[in-house]
Amino acid sequence: MSTPQPAVVDTATAGSRDGGDAPTKRRPRTADRSHARDFSRGFVVKLVLMAVIDALGVYALFAAWNAEAWGIFAAMAALVLVANWVYFSRRALPLKYILPGLAFLLVFQIYVVAYTGYVAFTNYGDGHNSTKEQAIEALLIQNERRVEGSASYPLTVLADGDDLAFAIRTEDGDVRVGSAEEPLETVDDAVVQGGTVTEVPGYQVLDRQAVLARQNDVTNLRVPISDDPEDGSIRTQDARTGYAYTSTLVYDETADAMTDAATGTVYTPNDRGEFEADSGAKLGVGWRVGVGFENFTTAFSDSRYAQPFFKILLWTFAFAILSVATTFALGLFLAIVFNDERLRGRKVYRTLMILPYAIPGFLAALLWSGMLNRSYGFVNQVLLGGAQIGWLTDPVLAKVAVLGVNLWLGFPYMFLICTGALQSLPGDVLEAAKIDGAGRWRTLRSVTLPLLLVSTAPLLISSFAFNFNNFTLIYMLTGGGPRFADASVPLGHTDILISMVYSVSGIDGTASKNFGLASALSIIIFIIVGVVSAIAFRRTRKLEEIS
Amino acid sequence: MATDILTTSAPEATAELSQRMGFRRWARELGWRHLIGVIAVVYAGFPIVYVISSSLSEKGTLTGSNALFSQVSLANYTQLGQTRFWEWVGNTVVIASITAIGTVLMGAAAAYAFSRFRFSGRRVGLTTLLIIQMFPQMLAFVAIFLLLIALGNVIPGLGLNSRIALICIYLGGSLGVNTFLMYGFFNTIPRELDEAAKIDGATHTQIYWTIILRLVAPILAVVGLLSFISTFGEFIIARTVLQSEANWTLAVGLYNWVSDLLEANWGLFAAGAVISAIPVLALFLFLQKYIVGGLTAGSVKG
């Protein structure tokens, strides 16, 4: 997956030159001569690196071909071809430097953002996890029943490492072996004694004790009879006899309909990605289909989500703005206090004061979650003399606590940038203010602060964007809680948008998965943060620096 | 240790001054600053003192940790050896180091190209990077999760629960954030240097490796460090990708300790927190002057 560092190739050349390698040193070198045409040591190193990249690429191509993953196949092929072209052509000089980063950027940022956009318009989630083919296969397997009077076979449980397998003996005496992934296949050199299989090459025959130990795995194991799920499978209840199970559902490809063989009900696909009967009954497994803007309207108007969503949206803005405001105010105040050259021990104060900034944010959040514990925490027990204040469990106090902890975490950063900015203020302007008779407060308000904001505004806005998505702090400190009393979804008073996305996605297994809605919420955050940042860049004229 | 570039004090002058000043004037002009300084240091420092004290407490519970330094024992630290803590430390350090090195190499190479070469698509490329920078990668964790499921079916080493996949994801997010920071710094290196080297017969790669990279070392340190720190503390993607306990990073592991059983695990968590904070703290203090310079150049703690 990784692309070569062009630089690595060239170090070798550079090194050999520094070392005074005579033959290479004397060769004239002109600007239009590239390493690609130069059979130096660097070229050899490059050749080896590219060979490694190509080998990995070809391996990935074969793997993608086997897995029939055509998207990955196409992307890999493009990456390998472009890499070879870039590093062996004399034309693509800038790309040699940009490509390594660009490849990662394309796959793991641009692609995933685009894919988020796609998922936002689907009903991807629990019940709609896969493609239609996979859903049909899953339905056939899930609805397998033992058909009365169907064939039964003497069965032996086998193990191949951790994986279980079954060996059965057919009526005509053949031994067939298969596992969950491998359908049954005839094995010629198995040993049969007294009607049961006692030895199969490559497998270990499990004795009674071992079968009992893995009883659940054995009764859950399903060995397909062939590649076609409609042929059914072999299962066992007692580890001695295997029964053929076949699906009660039959899929008719031409009519694109599922028929229940037992009741005769016909299910046809609806536009929600499910099989639905005329009566309205649906089959449990669906597939993902596009649902247009439904996820977005759910966020704004579905009563289960809309109410928490607006509360959370409001709190997210409040949290981000107040976080920046409080940390900046404290940081600036301290920077002004310590901006006096006569003060002794300034270095010591500074170093001690920026310690919170050097502590990883997640540690600080976890640490404070313990200190603010209602019954046993340090704050209640020691600082407040045994008060039982619900810092993390009361809706209002939890918000105060979140802001307070973020103040502790964030003020050293603001202190640092304000100190830096204060010291780069032009002295003559301050002196002019003094001569004009401005007092300390007036100077601060009318001269220092405006000048300071010019240099710190971009940082304040990126700090806003950071806090807007400060997932770690919220998740580790309060977990979004306390929960909304009236909401049916697991969201709470201190949840911000990003932690709402995390809860809604169900990726941590605590709620049902709803990738579509989660992605739609992600897109909404993208837009908000993007708009705020765009305004920021406009204001600070950062774009003009591109020349 | 110190913020060198911030401090321009002249010790002799200060000493002289305080001798000349009466106590009243000292209190009015400097004394109150010391008072605020002490309060600020206490505010900044007491949680840290508390966690160190809890880590040394024998009881290891949250209640037992409230009396500061009532007991001093290394029980919690030795007990860490019976958990997966050190595996997590290893995972975190490896993942964060490789990410930091990769970020610096790829970001510097891209910034060099944008700063020194003139090619078609350069402006568009820079603007695109600026826009991409606005989209935090962590918001796309659902798509990342789905992408890794797909990749894992093809190349198991790059699927879910793979540390290599996690590094790749972090590297994917690195270019947008850091190239600009580096690009600005590269532009401050006079181009005459390259031209002189070119006239002397150096190739662009020689110029890059032997001249430019040495001159931009400060920004490389800042980017590397910020990348290390942010990877070290990254939680949402790490938790999405790394599923088995043996592969967890510190952020995921310690979170689980605290959220599972706050009461009983507290001493263990405190000991783990102290140890986890040390590498970042040490790096931070060691490279402080570079960071402070880098911050004013426009980066945020992640």
Side-chain angles (χ1 to χ4, degrees):
Chain A
M1 210 54 223
S2 110
T3 37
Q5 292 293 335
V8 178
V9 176
D10 297 305
T11 348
T13 341
S16 72
R17 285 170 178 274
D18 288 348
D21 197 340
T24 33
K25 198 172 190 178
R26 261 185 227 119
R27 192 165 41 210
R29 166 95 64 188
T30 47
D32 62 336
R33 232 175 134 163
S34 100
H35 280 280
R37 309 298 162 103
D38 188 351
F39 288 87
S40 62
R41 243 166 67 192
F43 181 75
V44 175
V45 174
K46 171 156 85 179
L47 214 56
V48 171
L49 275 178
M50 286 310 294
V52 172
I53 301 296
D54 285 345
L56 289 174
V58 169
Y59 161 74
L61 284 176
F62 271 115
W65 183 277
N66 283 336
E68 298 179 16
W70 305 123
I72 295 174
F73 185 85
M76 272 317 294
L79 277 177
V80 169
L81 286 178
V82 168
N84 279 289
W85 176 72
V86 165
Y87 290 105
F88 288 111
S89 143
R90 65 157 89 185
R91 288 198 168 170
L93 186 53
L95 256 186
K96 283 181 183 164
Y97 286 89
I98 299 173
L99 188 69
L102 188 65
F104 281 98
L105 182 80
L106 283 174
V107 176
F108 290 102
Q109 176 129 18
I110 294 179
Y111 172 76
V112 292
V113 169
Y115 194 63
T116 305
Y118 161 73
V119 174
F121 292 97
T122 68
N123 59 358
Y124 207 158
D126 272 351
H128 299 271
N129 263 323
S130 52
T131 59
K132 192 173 173 186
E133 290 76 48
Q134 286 164 325
I136 290 169
E137 198 175 316
L139 278 171
L140 292 180
I141 290 170
Q142 276 180 20
N143 289 285
E144 277 181 352
R145 299 280 178 276
R146 187 188 156 198
V147 186
E148 280 310 315
S150 73
S152 66
Y153 310 94
L155 177 139
T156 307
V157 182
L158 307 172
D160 176 14
D162 275 346
D163 298 325
L164 290 177
F166 286 157
I168 57 161
R169 218 160 57 80
T170 56
E171 291 92 344
D172 32 338
D174 282 350
V175 174
R176 297 175 64 106
V177 175
S179 64
E181 273 88 42
E182 297 289 320
L184 287 179
E185 234 173 278
T186 309
V187 178
D188 293 329
D189 40 5
V191 181
V192 182
Q193 278 178 348
T196 53
V197 181
T198 53
E199 218 173 287
V200 179
Y203 290 94
Q204 181 199 350
V205 175
L206 289 189
D207 57 21
R208 207 70 209 148
Q209 209 65 35
V211 169
L212 281 175
R214 303 185 61 179
Q215 201 172 8
N216 269 337
D217 294 339
V218 172
T219 49
N220 285 333
L221 182 64
R222 167 190 181 275
V223 176
I225 288 171
S226 73
D227 278 328
D228 184 358
E230 287 194 39
D231 284 348
S233 63
I234 299 289
R235 300 188 193 195
T236 184
Q237 293 301 320
D238 56 4
R240 282 189 191 148
T241 321
Y243 294 101
Y245 279 54
T246 47
S247 183
T248 53
L249 290 174
V250 180
Y251 179 63
D252 180 353
E253 216 164 316
T254 46
D256 191 17
M258 280 278 192
T259 312
D260 191 324
T263 60
T265 320
V266 178
Y267 298 87
T268 49
N270 62 11
D271 59 1
R272 307 278 317 159
E274 291 156 320
F275 283 110
E276 191 177 349
D278 291 337
S279 64
K282 288 169 193 162
L283 294 177
V285 181
W287 58 96
R288 56 174 190 263
V289 289
V291 292
F293 280 89
E294 191 184 280
N295 288 315
F296 293 90
T297 50
T298 303
F300 286 106
S301 60
D302 182 321
S303 60
R304 280 174 308 157
Y305 292 102
Q307 217 191 355
F309 174 72
F310 282 113
K311 279 188 200 161
I312 287 169
L313 183 68
L314 206 66
W315 162 240
T316 309
F317 269 102
F319 167 70
I321 292 170
L322 286 173
S323 287
V324 176
T326 51
T327 53
F328 183 70
L330 184 58
L332 177 64
F333 171 70
L334 290 173
I336 290 172
V337 169
F338 288 99
N339 195 33
D340 190 320
E341 281 174 20
R342 299 167 301 173
L343 194 71
R344 284 182 167 198
R346 281 205 301 175
K347 280 186 182 180
V348 180
Y349 282 133
R350 273 202 183 118
T351 307
L352 289 176
M353 239 171 7
I354 58 174
L355 281 181
Y357 181 58
I359 304 252
F362 77 93
L363 283 179
L366 291 174
L367 170 60
W368 277 96
S369 80
M371 294 192 6
L372 292 172
N373 182 286
R374 183 191 162 98
S375 318
Y376 313 109
F378 185 79
V379 172
N380 276 346
Q381 282 289 313
V382 179
L383 298 184
L384 301 173
Q388 295 245 337
I389 299 171
W391 289 110
L392 303 176
T393 46
D394 178 83
V396 178
L397 284 179
K399 289 181 178 174
V400 173
V402 165
L403 285 171
V405 171
N406 212 17
L407 176 65
W408 183 80
L409 262 171
F411 87 90
Y413 168 71
M414 293 296 182
F415 169 72
L416 283 177
I417 61 170
C418 286
T419 305
L422 275 180
Q423 285 178 349
S424 61
L425 285 187
D428 47 352
V429 180
L430 295 176
E431 212 165 304
K434 210 173 193 178
I435 291 169
D436 285 350
R440 221 188 244 177
W441 178 242
R442 186 63 202 246
T443 316
L444 174 70
R445 208 166 48 110
S446 307
V447 182
T448 313
L449 213 50
L451 284 174
L452 203 69
L453 279 176
V454 171
S455 54
T456 53
L459 299 177
L460 294 187
I461 289 168
S462 58
S463 171
F464 170 87
F466 171 76
N467 278 309
F468 202 86
N469 290 317
N470 198 343
F471 176 81
T472 310
L473 176 75
I474 301 290
Y475 194 74
M476 296 206 172
L477 189 61
T478 63
R483 282 273 298 269
F484 289 127
D486 48 350
S488 54
V489 277
L491 298 167
H493 288 275
T494 54
D495 259 319
I496 54 173
L497 283 175
I498 175 81
S499 63
M500 178 178 178
V501 174
Y502 193 76
S503 298
V504 165
S505 76
I507 230 164
D508 61 352
T510 52
S512 63
K513 293 186 173 60
N514 194 342
F515 296 149
L517 181 59
S519 299
L521 288 169
S522 285
I523 297 294
I524 293 173
I525 305 179
F526 276 148
I527 292 168
I528 295 172
V529 173
V531 167
V532 171
S533 304
I535 294 168
F537 280 124
R538 262 235 169 118
R539 289 210 139 185
T540 57
R541 300 172 179 224
K542 250 209 151 164
L543 272 167
E544 281 177 19
E545 283 172 24
I546 305 171
S547 56
Chain B
M1 266 309 260
T3 53
D4 289 349
I5 60 160
L6 297 181
T7 321
T8 45
S9 71
E12 304 87 33
T14 321
E16 223 174 282
L17 243 163
S18 63
Q19 270 170 14
R20 263 190 288 133
M21 265 194 268
F23 177 75
R24 271 200 169 182
R25 189 164 162 231
W26 179 86
R28 201 178 63 229
E29 291 196 3
L30 292 178
W32 65 278
R33 294 178 198 262
H34 282 290
L35 187 69
I36 289 174
V38 170
I39 295 172
V41 166
V42 168
Y43 173 58
F46 91 88
I48 297 166
V49 173
Y50 167 76
V51 76
I52 293 172
S53 151
S54 320
S55 74
L56 295 171
S57 149
E58 214 164 291
K59 282 191 190 132
T61 62
L62 196 50
T63 342
S65 308
N66 281 338
L68 293 182
F69 298 106
S70 55
Q71 311 146 317
V72 175
S73 106
L74 290 176
N76 289 320
Y77 288 91
T78 51
Q79 219 193 316
L80 284 179
Q82 288 148 33
T83 66
R84 290 191 178 265
F85 177 78
W86 292 107
E87 282 176 61
W88 300 338
V89 172
N91 289 338
T92 312
V93 169
V94 168
I95 290 171
S97 306
I98 297 178
T99 305
I101 293 168
T103 297
V104 167
L105 287 176
M106 296 192 317
Y112 174 67
F114 280 121
S115 167
R116 288 310 201 250
F117 301 126
R118 291 292 173 270
F119 50 95
S120 56
R122 177 173 163 278
R123 251 189 104 88
V124 177
L126 276 171
T127 318
T128 314
L129 277 181
L130 202 64
I131 293 166
I132 289 170
Q133 195 180 229
M134 296 176 196
F135 297 118
Q137 196 188 21
M138 67 168 186
L139 271 174
F141 67 91
V142 169
I144 288 173
F145 178 76
L146 299 174
L147 170 68
L148 290 195
I149 290 178
L151 271 179
N153 288 334
V154 176
I155 312 162
L158 278 179
L160 278 180
N161 202 18
S162 150
R163 284 162 290 186
I164 300 172
L166 185 63
I167 293 172
C168 289
I169 294 166
Y170 290 148
L171 289 180
S174 69
L175 205 58
V177 185
N178 294 310
T179 307
F180 251 83
L181 194 62
M182 294 191 166
Y183 168 75
F185 203 93
F186 274 73
N187 280 345
T188 64
I189 309 288
R191 205 162 294 177
E192 285 78 9
L193 280 176
D194 315 20
E195 272 152 26
K198 212 179 257 170
I199 290 166
D200 285 350
T203 61
H204 61 92
T205 41
Q206 279 174 303
I207 297 171
Y208 175 66
W209 279 94
T210 56
I211 301 173
I212 302 283
L213 276 198
R214 286 180 201 176
L215 291 173
V216 298
I219 198 72
L220 299 187
V222 170
V223 167
L225 181 68
L226 289 175
S227 159
F228 185 91
I229 291 177
S230 64
T231 312
F232 197 95
E234 202 285 324
F235 178 72
I236 189 167
I237 296 177
R239 186 163 149 104
T240 305
V241 173
L242 303 174
Q243 315 224 309
S244 73
E245 215 175 322
N247 281 352
W248 281 352
T249 59
L250 278 172
V252 183
L254 291 184
Y255 168 74
N256 276 287
W257 272 1
V258 174
S259 68
D260 275 1
L261 257 177
L262 184 78
E263 259 295 273
N265 277 336
W266 190 252
L268 215 53
F269 161 75
V274 170
I275 291 177
S276 323
I278 288 173
V280 179
L281 208 64
L283 265 177
F284 190 88
L285 293 176
F286 186 64
L287 294 170
Q288 204 185 42
K289 63 177 176 181
Y290 291 129
I291 299 171
V292 174
L295 285 178
T296 28
S299 59
V300 197
K301 183 187 187 185

